[in-house]
Amino acid sequence: MRVRAQAQAPGSRLDGLSTASPSDSWSLAILGDLHLAPEQMKLFDAARGHLVTAMAAKSGRVVQLGDLGHGKHASGSRKCFETAKHYMDGFGLPYGMILGNHDLEGDEFQSDEENLAAWKEVFGQPHFWSADLGHAKVVGLSTERYRSNTNSHHEVYIPQDQLDWLEAQLAAHPDTPFIVCTHAPPMGCGLKVIQEVHIKNRCAWLNHSDNPRAFMDIVGRHRNVKLWFSGHFHLSHNYPDSISTVGTTAFVQVGVIGECNRDGNRQSRLIRGNEDGYQLLTVDHDTGAVRLDMEARWDDASAPVPVIPEDELLCDPDAGWLCSQMDCKVGDNSSGFITWHPVGHQTILARQANDLLIEYDMATAAPLGLVAKVPEDCSLQLVAADGRPAAREDGADVVEVRIHDANGELRETVTRNSSGAFFRIYQPNKWRLKQQKKAEEAAVAAAAAQEPVSVTGSYVD
C-alpha cells in the first residue's frame, strides 16, 4: 500500500529548508541535473559524500535543479521519482526540489498535470516555494509543460502565476537578498550555451518560445536578486561564462555529478552564507576538492567578480563549443569569427566561424535560434521585397536571406517566420507527433480489422 505524502500549497515556505534566525550561518549544496542510473550509483553516492563533507553538517541544506531520471530508466515516471527521493533522503539533510524538462516525460501519464501531481505526491512539497536562509531567501521555480509545449517538448516553461508570485516575493522583501533556482537559465543572462543543441532546438532559455524576456525584466526591476542558479546544459564550471553578471546579479551554471557531462568534469555548487555575504564554491566529484569561485557581500552595489583560476578555464580555440565565445572577436570577415547582418530593430543575424547562422535578440544580446548552416565557401544575400538587395542600413527591409554556393548557385532561401524573425523550428513537439503517429496507426489497424479476409477461396467477415 502506497503512503501518500501531503504536499504543501504552491508558493509555500519550506520550513524544513529554512534556518531559524536571520543571523544564522548556513551552507547550501546545489545539484544540477541528476539523470540517476543504477549502473552509476557509486558515482552518485561518492558525490553525495563530497557535498556532506564540504558542508557544516549542522547548517547544511540541499537544492536539486530537476531532471532526476535517465532516459534508459523511465525518466519522469513515478518509479523515477521514488528512486530520486531515496537518493535525496540519503543526504540526511533538508532539501528542496524543482522540476526540469525530463521530469514531465513519464510514459505512464497522459497529461502534464497528471505527471506533476505524481511528482508532488512522491516528494510531498510544492513545485515552487521559498525558504529563509539566514539573512537571505532562496526560491525555486518549476517547469509545468512538456506534452503541451508549443514547439520543443524540452522547453522549460514557467507559467505566469509563478512569475507573479516571484515578483510579489521580491517586492514584499526589498531589503532581502534572493537566490533564485530554475532548471534552465533566463534569456539575456550571458551564460554559456550550446548553440547546435539548445539554441537550434529553441529550448535553451526559460520560456524560450513564449515571452522569454520576462525573467530578466524582473531582475531589472528588483536589485535584490543576487544569485540565480540553473543547470540544463550539462556543462562544467570551468568556462569564463559559467558565471555571468548582469547588473548586480550573478547567474551561475551548475554542472552534473554523473556521466552525462559534456566535457569530462563532474561538479556541483556550494554556497556558504551568513548575514554579511556569501562564498560560492565548486565541489569536484572526481577528487572531492573544493574551489572558491566567487565571494561577495549581500549589500555590495557592484557586480560580483568570479575568481576561477586561469589554469582551470576551458578555452581551446579549436574545441568548437568547448571554447567560450564571450571574448572572441566580432567584426567583418577578417576577424575570422562573426559577421553581423542587420535585419531590423528586434533581431540581428550572426554568421559565425562554426558555419552557423544564428539569430540574436537585440534587447538581450542573446541567441534566439538557428537560421541555417552556412559553409565557409558560401555567400549570403539579404533581399528586399522587390527582389533586389536590401538597402536599409538597419536591415528593416530584408524579407529573405539567400544562401549561395561558391559557384553562385542558389543553395537555400530563408524567409521570415510567423513571428517576423528568421530562425527555424528544427524540433517540433515530438511527444505530440508521437501521439499523432499512434493514432494514425491505430486507425489503420482498425480499418484493416474490418476488411473481409480471404480464407481458402472464400470470404468471411
Side-chain angles (χ1 to χ4, degrees):
M1 177 178 170
R2 181 180 290 119
V3 177
R4 297 194 175 196
Q6 183 62 47
Q8 296 172 259
S12 296
R13 177 182 184 269
L14 295 185
D15 292 330
L17 193 62
S18 298
T19 57
S21 167
S23 61
D24 286 347
S25 297
W26 47 271
S27 296
L28 180 68
I30 300 185
L31 280 65
D33 304 34
L34 284 181
H35 296 294
L36 290 166
E39 64 273 15
Q40 298 179 37
M41 289 315 295
K42 286 186 177 180
L43 294 178
F44 291 106
D45 292 342
R48 184 171 57 196
H50 297 154
L51 291 167
V52 171
T53 299
M55 290 186 283
K58 186 177 180 180
S59 61
R61 285 152 174 78
V62 184
V63 167
Q64 199 281 321
L65 299 180
D67 276 11
L68 301 173
H70 195 286
K72 295 190 300 183
H73 303 289
S75 55
S77 66
R78 182 181 292 276
K79 181 179 179 181
C80 164
F81 300 155
E82 291 171 344
T83 299
K85 185 177 187 303
H86 177 75
Y87 177 74
M88 296 301 297
D89 288 345
F91 276 93
L93 298 169
Y95 63 86
M97 309 288 289
I98 59 174
L99 288 92
N101 47 296
H102 287 285
D103 296 322
L104 291 177
E105 64 182 9
D107 286 340
E108 69 209 71
F109 306 109
Q110 296 304 307
S111 69
D112 295 335
E113 293 78 9
E114 185 183 356
N115 211 155
L116 176 58
W119 182 95
K120 290 194 284 188
E121 181 181 325
V122 171
F123 288 104
Q125 66 151 82
H127 60 293
F128 62 99
W129 44 263
S130 69
D132 297 324
L133 295 180
H135 180 54
K137 279 186 178 289
V138 59
V139 298
L141 306 175
S142 287
T143 187
E144 292 188 23
R145 292 199 321 204
Y146 179 83
R147 299 157 187 82
S148 55
N149 269 334
T150 304
N151 292 308
S152 174
H153 48 303
H154 288 304
E155 180 181 339
V156 179
Y157 178 80
I158 293 174
Q160 189 62 44
D161 66 314
Q162 291 192 43
L163 286 174
D164 293 342
W165 171 85
L166 171 63
E167 188 144 31
Q169 290 282 313
L170 292 165
H173 307 279
D175 299 321
T176 298
F178 273 70
I179 302 165
V180 181
C181 298
T182 55
H183 181 69
M187 187 177 81
C189 68
L191 285 179
K192 181 172 179 58
V193 62
I194 306 173
Q195 294 185 341
E196 293 184 77
V197 180
H198 299 99
I199 295 301
K200 176 182 177 180
N201 294 332
R202 287 181 52 78
C203 60
W205 315 121
L206 295 170
N207 299 21
H208 197 133
S209 62
D210 187 356
N211 192 23
R213 297 177 184 172
F215 299 90
M216 292 304 292
D217 288 346
I218 289 176
V219 171
R221 290 192 292 269
H222 300 279
R223 293 176 61 86
N224 51 335
V225 179
K226 294 298 183 179
L227 291 161
W228 192 308
F229 289 87
S230 60
H232 193 44
F233 299 147
H234 298 201
L235 292 171
S236 75
H237 308 170
N238 291 17
Y239 302 94
D241 43 0
S242 294
I243 301 173
S244 61
T245 56
V246 178
T248 58
T249 304
F251 295 87
V252 185
Q253 170 72 36
V254 183
V256 300
I257 63 179
E259 293 178 353
C260 60
N261 62 80
R262 298 183 187 272
D263 51 26
N265 293 291
R266 300 186 303 110
Q267 298 166 325
S268 296
R269 296 287 187 182
L270 177 65
I271 317 173
R272 292 174 180 159
N274 57 36
E275 58 184 332
D276 296 321
Y278 66 88
Q279 289 185 325
L280 174 66
L281 307 109
T282 283
V283 179
D284 186 314
H285 294 308
D286 284 326
T287 65
V290 177
R291 180 187 77 198
L292 177 66
D293 289 341
M294 190 169 68
E295 59 183 327
R297 291 182 57 87
W298 297 122
D299 60 1
D300 196 336
S302 59
V305 180
V307 292
I308 305 171
E310 287 280 341
D311 61 351
E312 295 192 33
L313 290 175
L314 296 175
C315 196
D316 179 358
D318 298 320
W321 60 264
L322 285 173
C323 179
S324 188
Q325 296 180 357
M326 64 185 298
D327 295 322
C328 295
K329 295 179 180 179
V330 176
D332 58 22
N333 286 328
S334 64
S335 72
F337 186 65
I338 293 181
T339 306
W340 295 101
H341 299 275
V343 289
H345 298 293
Q346 298 295 318
T347 66
I348 190 169
L349 304 186
R351 183 179 178 183
Q352 302 176 172
N354 56 4
D355 292 346
L356 299 182
L357 184 63
I358 299 289
E359 188 161 22
Y360 280 76
D361 176 57
M362 295 282 281
T364 62
L368 279 173
L370 174 65
V371 178
K373 288 194 173 185
V374 184
E376 185 178 359
D377 60 352
C378 290
S379 61
L380 288 183
Q381 183 183 26
L382 305 184
V383 180
D386 60 3
R388 298 179 181 180
R392 289 187 52 163
E393 185 176 355
D394 62 5
D397 57 339
V398 177
V399 299
E400 66 181 35
V401 177
R402 295 177 183 173
I403 303 169
H404 295 272
D405 286 324
N407 60 10
E409 291 186 8
L410 182 64
R411 176 190 182 97
E412 191 174 358
T413 298
V414 183
T415 58
R416 291 188 184 269
N417 58 36
S418 59
S419 67
F422 285 97
F423 64 79
R424 292 176 169 177
I425 303 300
Y426 286 91
Q427 188 179 72
N429 190 312
K430 291 183 179 179
W431 186 89
R432 189 176 297 128
L433 294 177
K434 183 179 177 181
Q435 297 305 111
Q436 291 173 355
K437 184 178 179 180
K438 284 182 178 180
E440 291 168 0
E441 290 174 348
V444 170
Q450 295 177 7
E451 292 179 358
V453 179
S454 175
V455 180
T456 62
S458 62
Y459 289 87
V460 297
D461 289 335

